[in-house]
Every structure is written in C-alpha cells, then in structure tokens.
Amino acid sequence: MEGNLKVEEGVYIPSTGMKYPDDPFERLVKVDVEDSSKGRFRFDETYRYLDDSFGYKINQFFNSFVLWGLVSPYNLIFKGLKFEGRENLKDPHLRNGAVSICNHCFWSDAACVYQAVKPFGRMWIPMYGKHFNGKSWWIIKYMGGIPVAETLAGSRKFSEAFDELHARRQWIHVFPEEVRWNDYKAIRPFRKGAFAMAYKYDVPIVPCVLTYRERRGIYRLFGKKSSPLLTIKVGKPVFPDKTAPRKSEIDRLRIESHAAMERMAGIIENPWPAIPEDE
C-alpha cells in the first residue's frame, strides 16, 4: 500500500526499512500478556472503569510527574517535538469537552497529544485492554487509560464511565487507526468509535497529526539518523451535526477528519480510505 503514497514536495518520509502489512489493523507491537485471565486485571463488569478513589488520585498525581517530568522532556529532547496549529485550540466550544484524534505511530504519541492540546482538565484514553496487564500498566492506567471492555456487562460500565467523564467536561483521546505502526507516514482507515462518541456527546473532534522531520544538527547526538524528529499539528475542530442521522454523520466526521489529517501531513494521495473496506 505504501507504493500509492504521494506527498507534497519537501515532505519527509522516514526510511524505516519495514514492510508494513496489507491489513491496516494488523498489530505490529507485541502485547506481553495475551490472556487477561493471567494478568492483573479482568475487563468485565468488575473492573473500575472510572475510579474516583483516593488511591487512584495519588497514583495519578505521581503519574503526572512521570508524564511532564520524564516523557514530555524526552519528546522534546530526543524527538525534537515541535507544535503547530495550537491557535485552533482557542475555540470556546472546547471548554465543554472534545474528542481528540491522532495517527498512532510512536510509543509516546499520547504524551505528544497531551503536550500539544493541554486539555482543560485531564484526558481519558480508551485503550486495548491487554496492555493493562503488560509491563507498562502503571503509566497507562494512571495517565488516563481506560481499557475497552471484553464482555457485554463490562461494556455497559465502560460506557457509563465515559458518560460521566463527558458530564465533567473532560477530554477524550482516541487513536482511530486502532493499532500502532511506528514511523508510518500514510493515514490509515479510521474505526468509528471516536466519531460515535463525538456524535453522542455533541462535542467537536480535534484532529491532530504527527509528521516527521529528518534528524539533523545537534539532534544527531540524541538518536539514530533513521529515527525521525516529530512535529505535531493541531487542526481546526470538526463539529458533529446532531440533526443529521447518526450513521451518515459518523461517516462524515470520519471522512472530514481523515482528509484534514492528510492535508496537515502533506499527503496528496493516500493509499488508504477513511472508512475501512470491511465495514
């Protein structure tokens, strides 16, 4: 699929040496615990999807030091993270909550979004549940990660948690490409979850996109030449129309957000459609 990618003149495409799959949702990042029954958590109705306990808040407090004291400086120093389009965050509608989205292409891309948008409150991220039983469970859980439930009863609790977070005017972040492909340039198809949330809660989508720069100058001291520097671009909010039918409006949000991210990434021809072919 990469052979069909065309970009604007001067747009940098990393040389990863990887052959990416034909299935845009194939997992390339290993999950070290495949069976949740063997892990720390079970993702059914017994999991506390929204945790207001004192213990959670203490862990969340210390997690903030990791996020802003370690991960964020890493992004700035080792990845040369730059920001563009932050003026689009001045829209007053964003104070009532929003759903931000981004391409999923770097191990700390969620932190990049945090740094870029600096939400009014915390950001909550629905995530693949099995990661919560892996080695990085603490940073994921207390950064605001909420595992996608694996049972019907759990799904109801999961939905209730996000209903309450929306009532608190919190931000939700989703990677609509679903799986992470490191240093991948094209924008892959979008699952509908983020856009269904935006429609349900009548909040805007904030499209963000991570783009790449060649590693040059002093940054060569902090990483391999093949490891690109990053710029995160924030686009204009895309608003749902609650008077429109749900299905068609979710698809419109997907298509419009996908196109906005392509423009910000300097993509002229993208090998992937906005909506997966298997839907």
Side-chain angles (χ1 to χ4, degrees):
M1 297 293 286
E2 280 189 288
N4 299 324
L5 174 67
K6 292 184 180 180
V7 298
E8 296 173 3
E9 186 176 355
V11 170
Y12 180 66
I13 300 177
S15 299
T16 64
M18 290 184 61
K19 187 180 186 307
Y20 295 97
D22 291 331
D23 177 1
F25 302 113
E26 183 174 332
R27 293 190 179 276
L28 301 183
V29 178
K30 182 181 178 181
V31 181
D32 52 2
V33 177
E34 291 295 339
D35 183 357
S36 61
S37 66
K38 298 178 182 177
R40 184 175 290 101
F41 304 113
R42 296 180 64 88
F43 310 113
D44 54 20
E45 69 278 6
T46 65
Y47 185 86
R48 190 178 290 182
Y49 296 93
L50 181 59
D51 193 342
D52 285 326
S53 68
F54 179 73
Y56 183 91
K57 291 176 181 178
I58 288 292
N59 277 283
Q60 192 177 60
F61 175 78
F62 285 108
N63 189 280
S64 295
F65 283 98
V66 175
L67 174 63
W68 297 111
L70 295 177
V71 179
S72 296
Y74 174 90
N75 290 340
L76 295 171
I77 296 170
F78 291 90
K79 299 301 288 185
L81 185 64
K82 292 184 177 181
F83 308 94
E84 294 182 11
R86 278 171 154 175
E87 65 275 8
N88 292 316
L89 298 170
K90 295 179 180 179
D91 192 307
H93 294 93
L94 300 181
R95 293 187 178 274
N96 293 320
V99 178
S100 59
I101 61 172
C102 189
N103 50 327
H104 204 3
C105 59
F106 176 51
W107 69 268
S108 67
D109 45 18
C112 294
V113 177
Y114 248 116
Q115 289 174 265
V117 304
K118 295 182 179 178
F120 307 100
R122 295 199 65 86
M123 180 180 286
W124 303 89
I125 312 171
M127 293 183 175
Y128 183 50
K130 291 182 174 61
H131 286 300
F132 288 73
N133 283 326
K135 295 178 181 178
S136 301
W137 74 272
W138 186 85
I139 187 72
I140 289 172
K141 178 177 173 67
Y142 296 107
M143 183 181 179
I146 299 179
V148 176
E150 295 178 340
T151 67
L152 181 60
S155 295
R156 285 194 288 268
K157 296 290 186 181
F158 175 87
S159 296
E160 289 170 4
F162 280 99
D163 290 347
E164 176 59 28
L165 291 170
H166 166 63
R168 298 177 187 180
R169 301 182 179 182
Q170 299 287 285
W171 278 51
I172 300 167
H173 178 72
V174 180
F175 291 106
E177 294 176 324
E178 189 175 280
V179 298
R180 191 176 93 215
W181 286 9
N182 290 334
D183 298 336
Y184 189 69
K185 176 61 183 176
I187 308 298
R188 287 173 283 140
F190 289 169
R191 295 297 193 194
K192 64 184 178 182
F195 312 94
M197 282 184 166
Y199 183 85
K200 177 181 180 181
Y201 300 132
D202 196 15
V203 296
I205 293 284
V206 178
C208 303
V209 65
L210 279 163
T211 63
Y212 309 102
R213 310 189 317 272
E214 186 177 359
R215 186 173 291 273
R216 293 177 177 174
I218 193 171
Y219 289 110
R220 289 192 177 186
L221 300 176
F222 303 114
K224 297 179 180 179
K225 186 179 180 180
S226 60
S227 175
L229 302 178
L230 296 175
T231 299
I232 185 163
K233 301 180 180 182
V234 181
K236 294 180 179 180
V238 181
F239 293 88
D241 179 1
K242 288 288 285 186
T243 66
R246 179 180 180 275
K247 184 182 184 305
S248 61
E249 183 61 6
I250 288 172
D251 286 347
R252 182 193 70 82
L253 290 170
R254 275 199 281 188
I255 293 168
E256 190 169 329
S257 300
H258 199 269
M261 289 171 63
E262 289 173 341
R263 289 193 298 271
M264 288 191 287
I267 294 174
I268 298 172
E269 292 185 18
N270 191 8
W272 303 103
I275 298 174
E277 294 178 351
D278 61 357
E279 281 194 13

